[in-house]
Amino acid sequence: MDAVLFDFSGTLFRIESAESWLRAVLSDAEVPLPEHELSRVAEELEAVGALPGAAPHAVPVPAGLVPLWSERDRSAELHRAAYTGVCRQVALPAAELYDALYDRHMSPAAWRPYADACEVLRALRGRGTAVGVVSNIGWDLRPVFRAHGLDAYVDAYVLSYEHGVQKPDVRLFAAACEALGADPRATLMVGDDRRADGGAAALGCAVHFVEHLPVAERPDGLRPVLDLVARGA
């Protein structure tokens, strides 16, 4: 294989829990909330899909937000509007918390790499395999990789908001292959979303899926990638 492309959220990294997310923002804003209320609000925020990178929302997106939601990864402005929009379905004790919650999720402290992410990326670098990150996202995730010591193993970042297109559009995968100088037919795409990440197959890439689970529940989900690369997928 010439190259391996990785999704970001749910593949290499996982966002913190909704309760940790809310707790950090309330602490920074010095807004008190009783413990039982904090837990309830965190559950409601998670259910409506307000936390980017978390599990899929359990509550349908309001009809008025559906068009925005479907294109949220095409620009930074759409991404913020979509997530703060669904967030506003949940009553919070202060109006400024909606934007503060969005800002928190962009902090490196809000993300943890999966336990085997560094090991797999380092091994690929040692084999001379090019590595790209292809993400549907509305902000610059490079500082997250730098803060967690993984940036040294990534050769190219192809982010939807910087290109104005989002997975499964093949143009995003094509841009990644071009950036790496890789033949799509000798490239493996690794992701957790069968629709979005599976779009790479239309370009000729091999595709491998991992489970979108909390970090503690997926200690070695990326290790099969090394075998796939060795076998040429």
Side-chain angles (χ1 to χ4, degrees):
M1 305 296 288
D2 290 343
V4 180
L5 308 178
F6 289 94
D7 173 50
F8 166 56
S9 174
T11 301
L12 290 174
F13 283 82
R14 172 68 188 241
I15 192 71
E16 65 188 329
S17 70
E19 188 166 315
S20 171
W21 175 55
L22 177 60
R23 191 183 299 278
V25 169
L26 291 172
S27 176
D28 287 347
E30 298 183 343
V31 175
L33 197 63
E35 197 65 25
H36 70 281
E37 279 293 291
L38 190 152
S39 296
R40 178 189 61 79
V41 172
E43 289 177 2
E44 291 182 4
L45 287 168
E46 187 169 28
V48 300
L51 175 55
H57 52 83
V59 176
V61 174
L65 284 176
V66 168
L68 175 63
W69 188 259
S70 67
E71 298 192 347
R72 64 190 183 279
D73 297 311
R74 294 183 187 274
S75 75
E77 295 75 18
L78 290 171
H79 197 267
R80 179 181 286 271
Y83 279 102
T84 56
V86 295
C87 191
R88 287 188 172 89
Q89 295 178 86
V90 179
L92 296 179
E96 64 269 20
L97 294 178
Y98 296 104
D99 276 312
L101 283 168
Y102 183 84
D103 292 340
R104 165 69 186 182
H105 103 274
M106 296 187 288
S107 165
W111 295 88
R112 286 179 61 196
Y114 283 94
D116 55 349
C118 183
E119 169 195 338
V120 170
L121 292 177
R122 185 189 300 121
L124 291 172
R125 173 53 56 89
R127 295 178 183 185
T129 305
V131 170
V133 172
V134 184
S135 178
N136 278 352
I137 200 164
W139 49 277
D140 186 4
L141 52 72
R142 294 173 183 85
V144 176
F145 280 77
R146 287 196 292 270
H148 291 278
L150 299 187
D151 180 65
Y153 306 117
V154 179
D155 300 294
Y157 296 90
V158 178
L159 312 180
S160 61
Y161 85 102
E162 293 181 339
H163 291 262
V165 295
Q166 59 190 36
K167 297 180 291 187
D169 193 315
V170 296
R171 288 177 291 176
L172 209 59
F173 304 109
C177 290
E178 182 178 355
L180 296 173
D183 183 341
R185 295 166 296 180
T187 298
L188 174 66
M189 175 67 206
V190 182
D192 67 296
D193 188 318
R194 292 185 177 273
R195 177 179 177 274
D197 299 314
L203 192 65
C205 301
V207 181
H208 176 69
F209 297 107
V210 295
E211 295 297 320
H212 187 140
L213 295 171
V215 167
E217 296 178 25
R218 211 195 77 194
D220 54 6
L222 290 168
R223 287 183 185 143
V225 170
L226 298 178
D227 290 333
L228 290 169
V229 171
R231 299 200 314 262

